[in-house]
Amino acid sequence: LTRACPINCRQRGFICAVGCSENLKLLQLEIKHAKQEHRELGIVFVDIAKAFDTICHQHIISGLMQRGVDPHVIHLVSEMYENIVMYID
C-alpha cells in the first residue's frame, strides 16, 4: 500500500515512527535560526482532523484502484467499511 500511495516524509500518524517530537525540534531550530539571523519567519499549522470522516468511502476505494493497489488489499479495505455499527454502552 505504501508503494502505491506514498506518504510525506513528515507524516507522523498511523506509521511506525517517533511521535511529534522530531517536528517540534525542527520548529524550535527554525525559530532559533530566525532569531539569530534577525529574519522574519512565517509558520503555518495545518490540522486535518477527522479527514476520513468527510471523505466518501467509495472515493477511497476508487483512489486505491486508480493507484493500482492489489485487488485483495482493496477488498480488505472495502470490508472495513461494510456494515459498520457503533454501540454506546
Short mmCIF file of all heavy atoms in Angstrom, two decimals, residues 11-73:
data_model
loop_
_atom_site.label_atom_id
_atom_site.label_comp_id
_atom_site.label_asym_id
_atom_site.label_seq_id
_atom_site.Cartn_x
_atom_site.Cartn_y
_atom_site.Cartn_z
N GLN A 11 5.04 12.72 7.69
CA GLN A 11 3.90 12.02 8.25
C GLN A 11 4.28 11.40 9.58
O GLN A 11 5.30 10.75 9.70
CB GLN A 11 3.44 10.91 7.29
CG GLN A 11 2.42 9.95 7.85
CD GLN A 11 1.03 10.51 7.83
OE1 GLN A 11 0.72 11.35 7.01
NE2 GLN A 11 0.20 10.06 8.73
N ARG A 12 3.45 11.60 10.59
CA ARG A 12 3.74 11.02 11.90
C ARG A 12 2.61 10.14 12.40
O ARG A 12 2.81 9.32 13.27
CB ARG A 12 4.02 12.13 12.92
CG ARG A 12 5.32 12.85 12.66
CD ARG A 12 6.51 11.91 12.85
NE ARG A 12 7.75 12.53 12.46
CZ ARG A 12 8.41 12.27 11.35
NH1 ARG A 12 7.95 11.39 10.49
NH2 ARG A 12 9.53 12.87 11.07
N GLY A 13 1.43 10.29 11.88
CA GLY A 13 0.31 9.48 12.33
C GLY A 13 0.22 8.18 11.56
O GLY A 13 0.53 8.13 10.38
N PHE A 14 -0.20 7.13 12.23
CA PHE A 14 -0.51 5.83 11.62
C PHE A 14 0.70 5.14 10.99
O PHE A 14 0.54 4.31 10.12
CB PHE A 14 -1.63 5.98 10.58
CG PHE A 14 -2.81 6.71 11.10
CD1 PHE A 14 -3.08 8.00 10.69
CD2 PHE A 14 -3.64 6.13 12.05
CE1 PHE A 14 -4.17 8.69 11.21
CE2 PHE A 14 -4.72 6.82 12.57
CZ PHE A 14 -4.99 8.10 12.14
N ILE A 15 1.92 5.50 11.41
CA ILE A 15 3.11 4.82 10.93
C ILE A 15 4.01 4.53 12.12
O ILE A 15 3.87 5.12 13.19
CB ILE A 15 3.89 5.64 9.88
CG1 ILE A 15 4.40 6.95 10.48
CG2 ILE A 15 3.07 5.89 8.63
CD1 ILE A 15 5.38 7.68 9.59
N CYS A 16 4.94 3.63 11.92
CA CYS A 16 5.91 3.31 12.96
C CYS A 16 7.02 4.37 12.91
O CYS A 16 7.92 4.29 12.07
CB CYS A 16 6.47 1.91 12.74
SG CYS A 16 7.58 1.39 14.06
N ALA A 17 6.92 5.38 13.75
CA ALA A 17 7.89 6.47 13.77
C ALA A 17 7.81 7.17 15.12
O ALA A 17 6.85 6.98 15.86
CB ALA A 17 7.61 7.47 12.65
N VAL A 18 8.83 7.97 15.40
CA VAL A 18 8.79 8.75 16.63
C VAL A 18 7.59 9.69 16.56
O VAL A 18 7.12 10.02 15.48
CB VAL A 18 10.08 9.55 16.83
CG1 VAL A 18 11.25 8.62 17.04
CG2 VAL A 18 10.37 10.46 15.66
N GLY A 19 7.11 10.11 17.70
CA GLY A 19 5.95 10.99 17.73
C GLY A 19 6.25 12.34 17.13
O GLY A 19 7.08 12.49 16.24
N CYS A 20 5.60 13.34 17.63
CA CYS A 20 5.75 14.68 17.07
C CYS A 20 7.00 15.39 17.58
O CYS A 20 7.27 16.51 17.18
CB CYS A 20 4.50 15.51 17.34
SG CYS A 20 4.19 15.77 19.09
N SER A 21 7.79 14.73 18.42
CA SER A 21 8.97 15.38 19.00
C SER A 21 9.95 15.85 17.93
O SER A 21 10.55 16.92 18.06
CB SER A 21 9.67 14.45 19.99
OG SER A 21 10.12 13.28 19.35
N GLU A 22 10.12 15.06 16.87
CA GLU A 22 11.03 15.47 15.80
C GLU A 22 10.55 16.75 15.12
O GLU A 22 11.33 17.67 14.87
CB GLU A 22 11.19 14.37 14.76
CG GLU A 22 12.17 14.72 13.66
CD GLU A 22 12.31 13.62 12.62
OE1 GLU A 22 12.02 12.46 12.93
OE2 GLU A 22 12.70 13.95 11.49
N ASN A 23 9.27 16.83 14.84
CA ASN A 23 8.72 18.03 14.21
C ASN A 23 8.81 19.23 15.13
O ASN A 23 9.08 20.35 14.69
CB ASN A 23 7.27 17.80 13.77
CG ASN A 23 7.19 16.92 12.53
OD1 ASN A 23 8.18 16.71 11.85
ND2 ASN A 23 6.02 16.41 12.26
N LEU A 24 8.60 19.02 16.44
CA LEU A 24 8.74 20.13 17.38
C LEU A 24 10.18 20.62 17.45
O LEU A 24 10.44 21.82 17.54
CB LEU A 24 8.25 19.70 18.77
CG LEU A 24 6.75 19.53 18.92
CD1 LEU A 24 6.42 18.95 20.29
CD2 LEU A 24 6.02 20.83 18.70
N LYS A 25 11.13 19.69 17.39
CA LYS A 25 12.54 20.07 17.41
C LYS A 25 12.89 20.88 16.16
O LYS A 25 13.61 21.89 16.24
CB LYS A 25 13.42 18.81 17.50
CG LYS A 25 14.86 19.10 17.77
CD LYS A 25 15.01 19.73 19.14
CE LYS A 25 16.47 19.92 19.48
NZ LYS A 25 16.66 20.66 20.71
N LEU A 26 12.37 20.48 15.01
CA LEU A 26 12.59 21.24 13.78
C LEU A 26 12.02 22.64 13.90
O LEU A 26 12.66 23.62 13.48
CB LEU A 26 11.96 20.52 12.58
CG LEU A 26 12.64 19.25 12.12
CD1 LEU A 26 11.78 18.55 11.07
CD2 LEU A 26 14.02 19.55 11.56
N LEU A 27 10.86 22.76 14.49
CA LEU A 27 10.24 24.07 14.69
C LEU A 27 11.10 24.94 15.60
O LEU A 27 11.35 26.11 15.31
CB LEU A 27 8.84 23.90 15.28
CG LEU A 27 8.08 25.19 15.61
CD1 LEU A 27 7.89 26.04 14.37
CD2 LEU A 27 6.74 24.84 16.24
N GLN A 28 11.59 24.36 16.69
CA GLN A 28 12.46 25.10 17.60
C GLN A 28 13.72 25.59 16.89
O GLN A 28 14.15 26.72 17.09
CB GLN A 28 12.87 24.22 18.79
CG GLN A 28 11.77 23.99 19.79
CD GLN A 28 12.19 23.02 20.88
OE1 GLN A 28 13.00 22.12 20.66
NE2 GLN A 28 11.63 23.20 22.06
N LEU A 29 14.31 24.73 16.06
CA LEU A 29 15.51 25.12 15.32
C LEU A 29 15.24 26.26 14.34
O LEU A 29 16.04 27.19 14.23
CB LEU A 29 16.09 23.92 14.57
CG LEU A 29 16.77 22.87 15.44
CD1 LEU A 29 17.11 21.62 14.62
CD2 LEU A 29 18.03 23.44 16.06
N GLU A 30 14.10 26.20 13.65
CA GLU A 30 13.75 27.27 12.71
C GLU A 30 13.57 28.60 13.44
O GLU A 30 14.03 29.65 12.97
CB GLU A 30 12.49 26.92 11.94
CG GLU A 30 12.70 25.90 10.84
CD GLU A 30 13.67 26.39 9.78
OE1 GLU A 30 13.61 27.58 9.39
OE2 GLU A 30 14.49 25.58 9.32
N ILE A 31 12.90 28.58 14.58
CA ILE A 31 12.70 29.80 15.36
C ILE A 31 14.04 30.34 15.85
O ILE A 31 14.31 31.54 15.76
CB ILE A 31 11.73 29.54 16.54
CG1 ILE A 31 10.33 29.24 16.00
CG2 ILE A 31 11.71 30.72 17.50
CD1 ILE A 31 9.35 28.73 17.04
N LYS A 32 14.88 29.44 16.32
CA LYS A 32 16.21 29.85 16.81
C LYS A 32 17.03 30.51 15.71
O LYS A 32 17.62 31.58 15.91
CB LYS A 32 16.95 28.63 17.36
CG LYS A 32 18.32 28.92 17.92
CD LYS A 32 18.98 27.64 18.43
CE LYS A 32 20.40 27.92 18.88
NZ LYS A 32 21.06 26.68 19.34
N HIS A 33 17.06 29.89 14.52
CA HIS A 33 17.82 30.45 13.39
C HIS A 33 17.26 31.79 12.95
O HIS A 33 18.01 32.72 12.63
CB HIS A 33 17.86 29.47 12.21
CG HIS A 33 18.76 28.30 12.45
ND1 HIS A 33 20.13 28.37 12.40
CD2 HIS A 33 18.47 27.01 12.75
CE1 HIS A 33 20.65 27.19 12.66
NE2 HIS A 33 19.66 26.33 12.88
N ALA A 34 15.95 31.92 12.93
CA ALA A 34 15.33 33.19 12.53
C ALA A 34 15.71 34.29 13.51
O ALA A 34 16.00 35.42 13.10
CB ALA A 34 13.81 33.03 12.46
N LYS A 35 15.73 33.97 14.79
CA LYS A 35 16.12 34.97 15.79
C LYS A 35 17.58 35.35 15.65
O LYS A 35 17.94 36.53 15.70
CB LYS A 35 15.85 34.43 17.20
CG LYS A 35 14.41 34.43 17.60
CD LYS A 35 14.23 33.90 19.02
CE LYS A 35 12.78 33.94 19.46
NZ LYS A 35 12.63 33.45 20.84
N GLN A 36 18.44 34.35 15.46
CA GLN A 36 19.88 34.61 15.33
C GLN A 36 20.20 35.47 14.11
O GLN A 36 21.08 36.32 14.15
CB GLN A 36 20.66 33.29 15.25
CG GLN A 36 20.76 32.55 16.56
CD GLN A 36 21.43 31.19 16.40
OE1 GLN A 36 21.57 30.67 15.30
NE2 GLN A 36 21.84 30.61 17.53
N GLU A 37 19.48 35.24 13.03
CA GLU A 37 19.74 35.95 11.77
C GLU A 37 18.86 37.18 11.61
O GLU A 37 18.87 37.82 10.56
CB GLU A 37 19.55 34.98 10.60
CG GLU A 37 20.52 33.82 10.64
CD GLU A 37 20.23 32.76 9.60
OE1 GLU A 37 19.41 33.03 8.68
OE2 GLU A 37 20.81 31.67 9.69
N HIS A 38 18.05 37.48 12.62
CA HIS A 38 17.15 38.64 12.60
C HIS A 38 16.31 38.67 11.32
O HIS A 38 16.21 39.68 10.64
CB HIS A 38 17.93 39.95 12.75
CG HIS A 38 18.75 40.00 14.00
ND1 HIS A 38 18.19 40.15 15.25
CD2 HIS A 38 20.09 39.89 14.20
CE1 HIS A 38 19.14 40.14 16.16
NE2 HIS A 38 20.31 39.98 15.56
N ARG A 39 15.73 37.52 11.01
CA ARG A 39 14.87 37.45 9.82
C ARG A 39 13.45 37.07 10.22
O ARG A 39 13.22 36.50 11.27
CB ARG A 39 15.43 36.46 8.80
CG ARG A 39 15.47 35.03 9.25
CD ARG A 39 15.98 34.11 8.13
NE ARG A 39 16.19 32.77 8.61
CZ ARG A 39 15.25 31.82 8.63
NH1 ARG A 39 14.05 32.08 8.19
NH2 ARG A 39 15.53 30.62 9.10
N GLU A 40 12.51 37.46 9.35
CA GLU A 40 11.12 37.13 9.61
C GLU A 40 10.89 35.65 9.40
O GLU A 40 11.60 35.00 8.61
CB GLU A 40 10.20 37.93 8.69
CG GLU A 40 10.20 39.41 8.98
CD GLU A 40 9.22 40.16 8.10
OE1 GLU A 40 8.53 39.52 7.27
OE2 GLU A 40 9.15 41.38 8.23
N LEU A 41 9.89 35.12 10.08
CA LEU A 41 9.57 33.71 9.96
C LEU A 41 8.06 33.55 9.96
O LEU A 41 7.37 34.08 10.85
CB LEU A 41 10.18 32.93 11.13
CG LEU A 41 9.86 31.44 11.22
CD1 LEU A 41 10.45 30.69 10.03
CD2 LEU A 41 10.39 30.87 12.52
N GLY A 42 7.55 32.88 8.98
CA GLY A 42 6.12 32.58 8.92
C GLY A 42 5.93 31.09 9.08
O GLY A 42 6.64 30.29 8.48
N ILE A 43 4.98 30.72 9.91
CA ILE A 43 4.72 29.30 10.17
C ILE A 43 3.23 29.05 10.00
O ILE A 43 2.40 29.82 10.45
CB ILE A 43 5.15 28.91 11.59
CG1 ILE A 43 6.66 29.12 11.75
CG2 ILE A 43 4.77 27.48 11.91
CD1 ILE A 43 7.16 28.93 13.16
N VAL A 44 2.91 27.94 9.35
CA VAL A 44 1.51 27.55 9.14
C VAL A 44 1.31 26.18 9.76
O VAL A 44 2.10 25.27 9.55
CB VAL A 44 1.17 27.48 7.64
CG1 VAL A 44 -0.24 26.96 7.42
CG2 VAL A 44 1.38 28.82 6.98
N PHE A 45 0.25 26.04 10.53
CA PHE A 45 -0.12 24.76 11.09
C PHE A 45 -1.39 24.29 10.38
O PHE A 45 -2.38 25.01 10.33
CB PHE A 45 -0.40 24.86 12.60
CG PHE A 45 0.83 25.15 13.40
CD1 PHE A 45 1.19 26.46 13.70
CD2 PHE A 45 1.64 24.12 13.84
CE1 PHE A 45 2.33 26.72 14.44
CE2 PHE A 45 2.78 24.38 14.58
CZ PHE A 45 3.13 25.69 14.88
N VAL A 46 -1.35 23.09 9.84
CA VAL A 46 -2.50 22.53 9.14
C VAL A 46 -2.98 21.33 9.93
O VAL A 46 -2.23 20.39 10.16
CB VAL A 46 -2.14 22.12 7.70
CG1 VAL A 46 -3.34 21.52 7.01
CG2 VAL A 46 -1.59 23.30 6.93
N ASP A 47 -4.22 21.38 10.35
CA ASP A 47 -4.81 20.28 11.11
C ASP A 47 -5.90 19.66 10.27
O ASP A 47 -6.93 20.28 10.01
CB ASP A 47 -5.37 20.80 12.43
CG ASP A 47 -5.92 19.67 13.30
OD1 ASP A 47 -5.79 18.49 12.93
OD2 ASP A 47 -6.49 19.99 14.35
N ILE A 48 -5.67 18.45 9.84
CA ILE A 48 -6.66 17.77 9.01
C ILE A 48 -7.38 16.74 9.88
O ILE A 48 -7.49 15.59 9.56
CB ILE A 48 -5.99 17.12 7.78
CG1 ILE A 48 -5.09 18.12 7.09
CG2 ILE A 48 -7.03 16.61 6.80
CD1 ILE A 48 -4.33 17.58 5.92
N ALA A 49 -7.85 17.21 11.02
CA ALA A 49 -8.53 16.32 11.96
C ALA A 49 -9.77 15.73 11.34
O ALA A 49 -10.53 16.40 10.65
CB ALA A 49 -8.90 17.10 13.23
N LYS A 50 -9.95 14.47 11.58
CA LYS A 50 -11.12 13.74 11.11
C LYS A 50 -11.30 13.82 9.59
O LYS A 50 -12.41 13.82 9.08
CB LYS A 50 -12.37 14.26 11.83
CG LYS A 50 -12.32 14.05 13.34
CD LYS A 50 -13.55 14.57 14.02
CE LYS A 50 -14.69 13.71 13.67
NZ LYS A 50 -15.58 13.27 14.66
N ALA A 51 -10.19 13.85 8.89
CA ALA A 51 -10.26 13.98 7.43
C ALA A 51 -11.03 12.83 6.79
O ALA A 51 -11.79 13.04 5.85
CB ALA A 51 -8.85 14.04 6.84
N PHE A 52 -10.87 11.63 7.31
CA PHE A 52 -11.52 10.50 6.68
C PHE A 52 -13.00 10.41 7.00
O PHE A 52 -13.74 9.67 6.39
CB PHE A 52 -10.79 9.19 7.02
CG PHE A 52 -9.47 9.10 6.33
CD1 PHE A 52 -8.30 9.35 7.02
CD2 PHE A 52 -9.39 8.81 4.98
CE1 PHE A 52 -7.07 9.30 6.39
CE2 PHE A 52 -8.17 8.76 4.33
CZ PHE A 52 -7.01 9.00 5.04
N ASP A 53 -13.45 11.20 7.98
CA ASP A 53 -14.88 11.25 8.25
C ASP A 53 -15.62 12.01 7.16
O ASP A 53 -16.82 11.86 6.99
CB ASP A 53 -15.16 11.95 9.59
CG ASP A 53 -14.76 11.10 10.77
OD1 ASP A 53 -14.37 9.95 10.56
OD2 ASP A 53 -14.86 11.60 11.90
N THR A 54 -14.90 12.87 6.44
CA THR A 54 -15.55 13.71 5.44
C THR A 54 -15.36 13.20 4.01
O THR A 54 -15.87 13.79 3.09
CB THR A 54 -15.01 15.15 5.53
OG1 THR A 54 -13.60 15.13 5.34
CG2 THR A 54 -15.32 15.76 6.89
N ILE A 55 -14.63 12.11 3.86
CA ILE A 55 -14.39 11.55 2.52
C ILE A 55 -15.33 10.37 2.32
O ILE A 55 -15.42 9.48 3.17
CB ILE A 55 -12.93 11.08 2.35
CG1 ILE A 55 -11.98 12.26 2.47
CG2 ILE A 55 -12.74 10.37 1.02
CD1 ILE A 55 -10.53 11.88 2.43
N CYS A 56 -16.00 10.38 1.18
CA CYS A 56 -16.88 9.25 0.84
C CYS A 56 -16.03 7.98 0.77
O CYS A 56 -14.97 7.96 0.15
CB CYS A 56 -17.55 9.54 -0.50
SG CYS A 56 -18.46 8.15 -1.17
N HIS A 57 -16.51 6.93 1.41
CA HIS A 57 -15.76 5.67 1.42
C HIS A 57 -15.50 5.15 0.01
O HIS A 57 -14.43 4.61 -0.28
CB HIS A 57 -16.50 4.62 2.24
CG HIS A 57 -16.60 4.99 3.69
ND1 HIS A 57 -17.52 4.44 4.53
CD2 HIS A 57 -15.90 5.88 4.44
CE1 HIS A 57 -17.38 4.95 5.74
NE2 HIS A 57 -16.42 5.84 5.70
N GLN A 58 -16.45 5.33 -0.88
CA GLN A 58 -16.27 4.87 -2.27
C GLN A 58 -15.13 5.63 -2.94
O GLN A 58 -14.43 5.10 -3.77
CB GLN A 58 -17.57 5.01 -3.07
CG GLN A 58 -17.47 4.43 -4.47
CD GLN A 58 -17.00 2.98 -4.48
OE1 GLN A 58 -17.48 2.15 -3.72
NE2 GLN A 58 -16.05 2.66 -5.35
N HIS A 59 -14.95 6.89 -2.58
CA HIS A 59 -13.86 7.68 -3.14
C HIS A 59 -12.50 7.10 -2.72
O HIS A 59 -11.56 7.06 -3.51
CB HIS A 59 -13.97 9.14 -2.69
CG HIS A 59 -12.95 10.03 -3.31
ND1 HIS A 59 -12.99 10.39 -4.64
CD2 HIS A 59 -11.85 10.61 -2.79
CE1 HIS A 59 -11.94 11.16 -4.91
NE2 HIS A 59 -11.24 11.31 -3.80
N ILE A 60 -12.41 6.64 -1.49
CA ILE A 60 -11.17 6.00 -1.02
C ILE A 60 -10.90 4.74 -1.84
O ILE A 60 -9.77 4.53 -2.31
CB ILE A 60 -11.27 5.66 0.49
CG1 ILE A 60 -11.35 6.95 1.31
CG2 ILE A 60 -10.08 4.81 0.93
CD1 ILE A 60 -11.69 6.74 2.77
N ILE A 61 -11.92 3.93 -2.04
CA ILE A 61 -11.76 2.70 -2.83
C ILE A 61 -11.37 3.03 -4.26
O ILE A 61 -10.46 2.41 -4.83
CB ILE A 61 -13.07 1.86 -2.80
CG1 ILE A 61 -13.46 1.52 -1.35
CG2 ILE A 61 -12.94 0.62 -3.64
CD1 ILE A 61 -12.41 0.81 -0.54
N SER A 62 -12.01 4.02 -4.86
CA SER A 62 -11.68 4.42 -6.24
C SER A 62 -10.23 4.90 -6.33
O SER A 62 -9.53 4.59 -7.28
CB SER A 62 -12.61 5.54 -6.71
OG SER A 62 -13.93 5.09 -6.76
N GLY A 63 -9.79 5.65 -5.33
CA GLY A 63 -8.40 6.12 -5.31
C GLY A 63 -7.41 4.97 -5.25
O GLY A 63 -6.38 4.99 -5.94
N LEU A 64 -7.72 3.98 -4.45
CA LEU A 64 -6.84 2.80 -4.37
C LEU A 64 -6.80 2.07 -5.71
O LEU A 64 -5.73 1.62 -6.14
CB LEU A 64 -7.32 1.86 -3.26
CG LEU A 64 -7.21 2.39 -1.83
CD1 LEU A 64 -7.88 1.42 -0.85
CD2 LEU A 64 -5.76 2.63 -1.44
N MET A 65 -7.95 1.96 -6.35
CA MET A 65 -8.00 1.29 -7.67
C MET A 65 -7.17 2.05 -8.69
O MET A 65 -6.41 1.46 -9.45
CB MET A 65 -9.45 1.15 -8.14
CG MET A 65 -10.27 0.21 -7.28
SD MET A 65 -12.02 0.40 -7.62
CE MET A 65 -12.37 -1.14 -8.41
N GLN A 66 -7.31 3.38 -8.71
CA GLN A 66 -6.56 4.20 -9.66
C GLN A 66 -5.06 4.09 -9.45
O GLN A 66 -4.29 4.19 -10.39
CB GLN A 66 -6.99 5.67 -9.56
CG GLN A 66 -8.36 5.94 -10.09
CD GLN A 66 -8.81 7.38 -9.84
OE1 GLN A 66 -8.13 8.15 -9.16
NE2 GLN A 66 -9.95 7.73 -10.40
N ARG A 67 -4.65 3.88 -8.21
CA ARG A 67 -3.23 3.76 -7.88
C ARG A 67 -2.69 2.36 -8.17
O ARG A 67 -1.51 2.10 -8.00
CB ARG A 67 -2.99 4.08 -6.41
CG ARG A 67 -3.31 5.50 -6.04
CD ARG A 67 -2.12 6.35 -6.31
NE ARG A 67 -2.33 7.69 -5.79
CZ ARG A 67 -1.36 8.49 -5.49
NH1 ARG A 67 -0.13 8.10 -5.62
NH2 ARG A 67 -1.62 9.70 -5.08
N GLY A 68 -3.56 1.45 -8.55
CA GLY A 68 -3.11 0.10 -8.89
C GLY A 68 -2.83 -0.78 -7.68
O GLY A 68 -2.02 -1.70 -7.76
N VAL A 69 -3.51 -0.49 -6.58
CA VAL A 69 -3.33 -1.31 -5.38
C VAL A 69 -3.89 -2.70 -5.64
O VAL A 69 -4.89 -2.87 -6.34
CB VAL A 69 -4.03 -0.64 -4.17
CG1 VAL A 69 -4.02 -1.53 -2.95
CG2 VAL A 69 -3.37 0.70 -3.87
N ASP A 70 -3.24 -3.70 -5.08
CA ASP A 70 -3.65 -5.10 -5.24
C ASP A 70 -5.13 -5.26 -4.91
O ASP A 70 -5.59 -4.76 -3.87
CB ASP A 70 -2.79 -5.97 -4.31
CG ASP A 70 -3.12 -7.44 -4.47
OD1 ASP A 70 -4.03 -7.92 -3.74
OD2 ASP A 70 -2.48 -8.10 -5.30
N PRO A 71 -5.89 -5.95 -5.77
CA PRO A 71 -7.33 -6.12 -5.54
C PRO A 71 -7.66 -6.73 -4.18
O PRO A 71 -8.69 -6.41 -3.57
CB PRO A 71 -7.78 -7.05 -6.67
CG PRO A 71 -6.79 -6.79 -7.75
CD PRO A 71 -5.48 -6.51 -7.06
N HIS A 72 -6.81 -7.62 -3.67
CA HIS A 72 -7.05 -8.22 -2.37
C HIS A 72 -7.01 -7.16 -1.27
O HIS A 72 -7.84 -7.15 -0.36
CB HIS A 72 -6.02 -9.32 -2.09
CG HIS A 72 -6.19 -9.97 -0.74
ND1 HIS A 72 -7.28 -10.77 -0.44
CD2 HIS A 72 -5.44 -9.91 0.37
CE1 HIS A 72 -7.17 -11.19 0.81
NE2 HIS A 72 -6.06 -10.67 1.32
N VAL A 73 -6.06 -6.24 -1.35
CA VAL A 73 -5.95 -5.17 -0.36
C VAL A 73 -7.17 -4.25 -0.47
O VAL A 73 -7.75 -3.86 0.54
CB VAL A 73 -4.63 -4.37 -0.56
CG1 VAL A 73 -4.60 -3.16 0.37
CG2 VAL A 73 -3.43 -5.27 -0.32
#
